[in-house]
Amino acid sequence: MHQPPIPHIDAEDPEIAGLIHDEARRQHDKFRMIPSENYVSLAVLEAVGTVLTNKYSEGYPGRRYYEGQQLIDPLETIAIERAKSLFGAEHANVQPYSGSPANLAVYLAFAKPGDTVMGLSLPMGGHLTHGAAPTIGGKWLRPVQYGVRRDTGRIDLDEVRDIALRERPKIIFCGGTALPRTVDFPGFAAIAKEVGAVLAADIAHIAGLIAGGAHPSPVGHAPVITTTTHKTLRGPRGAMIMTDAEHASAIDKAVFPGLQGGPHNHTTAGIAVALREAAQPSFRDYAAQVVKNAIALAAALQERGYDLVSGGTDNHLLLVDLASKGIAGKPAAKALDRAGMELNFNTVPYDQRKPFDPSGIRLGTPALTTRGLTEVHMPQLAAWMDEAITAAAKDDEAPLDRIAAEIRDLLSAYPIPGWSD
Ligand SMILES: *Cc1c(COP(=O)(O)O)cnc(C)c1O
């Protein structure tokens, strides 16, 4: 059963209620390993389902364009103060609707159409919004892209510096969406300073690890920090931009009125609740365990002959190159999903295959860690993965449903937040 209960949807719209209950069951029965996903607490779920969704609040606390902000102003102020205190930032904007609009606000704040901007390329592990061709940044700006080295699978700061010196970008994005290694924020900061660019650290994937002390922080190195709130940070779908004092007003103006209208106040409440949770000692344990689990899973897969981009992981995420296993990423991901292990197919650096049919799979440990699984479970998980991938490589579907049942059995002892049968 979905928690919190949804009796009014059950009664008034059984069609939608049925889908929600089935999705809750699906999320309960599987190893969810898409590294950008998680399980939020019931408190966060409750916050985003409140009357706050009824209210318009264009502007910022104390400077609104609509009346009736007596309670919204303190709510948003609490969210801002919690973000600042959790990350040690001088300024926070909690209004971006999601990670992509947050990055767009950075472009709007610090670049003009046609200006050069720089980021990690999509096939090398960067995010679409870091300058990929089909995006607004790719079309309206002049993106130049850096990659990772073929031999190490890691970013080469000498290459980043060479490109930056040659191209003189207005903005440099660091961070990514398929980067298994620690981001060198001081290294990027030195390059940005040398070329006079604004360094924007996109910590969407690793914000929870940073908040929990399991990854170095960009604060003090990157004057602008964007993040989603719904990945390792374990809040509702949304985003924040944190800045130093100097860049605060440009970002606030870019988010509103530059890009958005009214903030989603119910999301702001969910962010505030999640930020309070992330400030508890137990969140540090969670962040450390996410990394421990990822390292254990990486080791167990390598023991079974799997080829990991960069040779392992420092964070929550693994990128596996299946080229040596005789199967592409997409059929492997489909077989794994049927076998109860949900992850995504992904390009690997220097992929010989096409982006929609690439060589790799991307997976991570945030959601399974939230459920309470630890490094002792990772060898068994790797064994299940290996069995399903090996079967799929031989077009053998027979073991998949059996593995899914075994996984359901194990996971029934690690319920998702608030689960009741
Ligand atoms: C997920 C992600 C985003 C975009 O977030 P959305 O909420 O999906 O728009 C931006 N940057 C990075 C690095 C991400 O991983």
Side-chain angles (χ1 to χ4, degrees):
M1 285 280 282
H2 185 270
Q3 295 291 337
I6 49 169
H8 300 92
I9 315 178
D10 287 335
E12 289 159 31
D13 196 337
E15 199 179 359
I16 292 298
L19 292 172
I20 295 172
H21 287 300
D22 289 352
E23 172 64 9
R25 162 64 68 187
R26 195 192 67 80
Q27 292 189 12
H28 185 268
D29 284 350
K30 285 163 88 171
F31 265 110
R32 293 179 54 243
M33 296 192 284
I34 294 173
S36 45
E37 295 185 351
N38 216 323
Y39 298 95
V40 299
S41 68
L42 292 194
V44 169
L45 278 184
E46 284 178 4
V48 298
T50 58
V51 293
L52 297 168
T53 198
N54 297 336
K55 186 70 197 123
Y56 244 104
S57 312
E58 282 183 1
Y60 290 104
R63 294 173 283 142
R64 304 282 190 186
Y65 291 81
Y66 291 80
E67 296 313 311
Q69 310 298 338
Q70 293 83 353
L71 305 160
I72 301 298
D73 274 4
L75 172 82
E76 187 171 333
T77 302
I78 289 170
I80 290 167
E81 291 307 321
R82 286 181 182 174
K84 285 163 60 179
S85 130
L86 183 66
F87 289 93
E90 289 175 353
H91 178 76
N93 185 312
V94 298
Q95 294 194 3
Y97 298 144
S98 213
S100 302
N103 287 347
L104 193 49
V106 173
Y107 290 136
L108 183 60
F110 305 114
K112 296 211 158 34
D115 276 354
T116 301
V117 295
M118 187 166 159
L120 179 62
S121 82
L122 180 65
M124 298 280 183
H127 191 259
L128 275 165
T129 53
H130 297 177
T135 66
I136 185 165
K139 288 176 192 289
W140 291 2
L141 298 159
R142 181 180 162 270
V144 294
Q145 307 256 272
Y146 58 93
V148 298
R149 284 176 66 107
R150 191 186 281 270
D151 53 347
T152 60
R154 293 172 188 248
I155 291 167
D156 177 351
L157 281 183
D158 291 334
E159 184 211 28
V160 173
R161 180 170 176 269
D162 287 346
I163 300 172
L165 282 169
R166 190 175 67 232
E167 305 288 352
R168 297 277 160 181
K170 287 268 170 49
I171 300 165
I172 299 176
F173 264 101
C174 62
T177 172
L179 264 188
R181 295 297 181 177
T182 300
V183 182
D184 181 356
F185 297 121
F188 273 100
I191 294 167
K193 192 163 182 215
E194 190 178 355
V195 304
V198 176
L199 179 63
D202 181 347
I203 60 168
H205 262 260
I206 53 176
L209 304 184
I210 292 168
H215 187 291
S217 170
V219 173
H221 304 293
V224 177
I225 300 165
T226 65
T227 185
T228 56
T229 46
H230 49 270
K231 297 181 183 175
T232 51
L233 193 54
R234 221 159 60 178
R237 300 197 87 88
M240 310 191 294
I241 305 177
M242 292 173 282
T243 71
D244 60 11
E246 183 190 339
H247 296 79
S249 119
I251 283 293
D252 282 354
K253 285 181 192 145
V255 172
F256 176 85
L259 205 57
Q260 299 190 167
H264 293 178
N265 296 315
H266 55 305
T267 302
T268 306
I271 290 173
V273 170
L275 290 170
R276 186 177 176 282
E277 291 174 357
Q280 307 307 311
S282 59
F283 196 86
R284 294 186 81 79
D285 299 339
Y286 148 79
Q289 191 65 50
V290 166
V291 177
K292 263 193 222 164
N293 287 350
I295 290 171
L297 184 56
L301 285 169
Q302 283 172 317
E303 258 172 49
R304 292 176 177 276
Y306 284 86
D307 189 4
L308 268 60
V309 171
S310 83
T313 181
D314 300 326
N315 55 30
H316 64 300
L317 180 154
L318 281 60
L319 194 55
V320 185
D321 185 345
L322 293 173
S324 66
K325 290 287 179 182
I327 185 167
K330 194 193 273 189
K334 289 211 176 308
L336 285 162
D337 188 51
R338 187 162 150 203
M341 293 167 281
E342 181 187 0
L343 43 68
N344 63 279
F345 62 84
N346 213 95
T347 55
V348 295
Y350 305 97
D351 208 319
Q352 301 297 311
R353 303 177 63 93
K354 298 207 168 63
F356 201 63
D357 185 20
S359 301
I361 49 174
R362 186 188 70 145
L363 59 148
T365 52
L368 63 85
T369 304
T370 295
R371 294 182 73 159
L373 289 126
T374 68
E375 65 271 24
V376 305
H377 302 104
M378 296 304 111
Q380 175 63 66
L381 175 54
W384 277 321
M385 285 183 65
D386 187 29
E387 195 183 352
I389 291 169
T390 307
K394 292 187 284 194
D395 277 331
D396 173 13
E397 296 189 354
L400 302 181
D401 293 341
R402 191 204 79 238
I403 297 169
E406 289 172 5
I407 285 175
R408 256 196 318 277
D409 206 40
L410 169 71
L411 291 179
S412 64
Y414 299 90
I416 71 173
W419 180 258
S420 72
D421 272 311

